[in-house]
Amino acid sequence: MAYCSIEAAKSAGVTGDDAVVAAWIAAAQEAIERYTQQVFEPTDLVVVADVGAGGLVILPRRVRTVSAVQPVLEADDGASIPSSAYRVTSSKVLGQIDAVRLAWGGWNDLVVGAESYNGGWLGLWERWGAEQVKVSGSFGYDEVPLLVEKACALLAADLQAKAAPSDADAAQDESLQVDDEGNNVAIEDSDDDPSSDVVSPSSSTGSTQVDALLAGYLNRGPSLIGGV
């Protein structure tokens, strides 16, 4: 699912056939996610976050549902704890934050180490010494917000425009191949260093107009460690 339609991108100024437009939409979507550190469609992810005071775990993405919570231990990840041992809140509810709240005050006599006479869940976590948890679940927005959709179309057009070399540039650099519409269709990479697949936060999408549209969606929380 794309953050904007091909028709919306074309209306914003992206040129080319549908495959070309879709490629620029994908590039814009990647830039938006890098800038906001957020996803805007339902996405299955695995994230790691710190256990804060009182067992509060602030999650780095807008949470929809949580399927598993595991302590992060030095040797290996611990077993998933039952859903009764934590409570999930989501920013989709006004006044709430994206978080898992561990049940420090509870216990479960059926779980070894978390019995009422053994300190409950808090006693078990203290014995584990886990400072982080791994949370699996569904993150993102149920639907792409209107401002994000608009930002994606505008950014796709902006990226394409910036990638298209002038006639003078093309004449000076034979590695730039330009189609009839002025789009740069081939660039030879002379960098021998391996590329990185890690998506790092960006201070800007490259467009001040798009940055302004996305200002309300910025998330500078802990980093994503894995996705499905």
Side-chain angles (χ1 to χ4, degrees):
M1 177 180 175
Y3 288 172
C4 72
S5 66
I6 288 177
E7 291 72 20
K10 287 183 176 180
S11 296
V14 182
T15 60
D17 60 27
D18 286 357
V20 170
V21 176
W24 286 112
I25 290 174
Q29 183 166 320
E30 181 180 344
I32 288 171
E33 291 177 358
R34 185 184 302 113
Y35 175 59
T36 61
Q37 290 293 285
Q38 189 63 273
V39 290
F40 296 98
E41 60 183 354
T43 307
D44 290 335
L45 299 174
V46 177
V47 302
V48 163
D50 294 336
V51 178
L56 176 64
V57 181
I58 298 177
L59 299 175
R61 299 291 184 272
R62 184 185 180 102
V63 62
R64 301 178 70 249
T65 60
V66 169
S67 57
V69 176
Q70 301 168 263
V72 176
L73 307 177
E74 287 187 8
D76 197 1
D77 294 330
S80 297
I81 62 175
S83 58
S84 59
Y86 59 86
R87 180 167 62 91
V88 179
T89 59
S90 173
S91 61
K92 66 183 179 182
V93 177
L94 186 62
Q96 294 282 15
I97 61 173
D98 297 302
V100 166
R101 299 174 187 272
L102 302 174
W104 270 182
W107 65 85
N108 188 330
D109 288 339
L110 299 179
V111 177
V112 176
E115 301 93 344
S116 56
Y117 55 82
N118 207 9
W121 290 113
L122 178 57
L124 181 59
W125 279 93
E126 289 178 342
R127 287 189 291 277
W128 275 336
E131 297 180 352
Q132 292 183 315
V133 293
K134 179 182 290 186
V135 180
S136 305
S138 177
F139 296 80
Y141 284 66
D142 294 338
E143 297 180 355
V144 180
L146 179 61
L147 291 180
V148 175
E149 181 180 354
K150 178 68 173 177
C152 185
L154 290 173
L155 186 57
D158 184 70
L159 291 173
Q160 185 186 49
K162 289 177 178 176
S166 66
D167 293 339
D169 291 334
Q172 294 175 7
D173 190 346
E174 295 181 355
S175 69
L176 299 178
Q177 300 176 17
V178 184
D179 63 18
D180 293 338
E181 295 179 334
N183 298 319
N184 183 14
V185 295
I187 301 176
E188 294 183 4
D189 188 359
S190 59
D191 188 357
D192 293 330
D193 295 332
S195 61
S196 172
D197 293 328
V198 177
V199 178
S200 301
S202 173
S203 60
S204 172
T205 61
S207 166
T208 55
Q209 182 181 11
V210 172
D211 290 353
L213 289 173
L214 298 174
Y217 299 98
L218 295 181
N219 181 353
R220 293 295 185 241
S223 299
L224 169 74
I225 67 161
V228 179

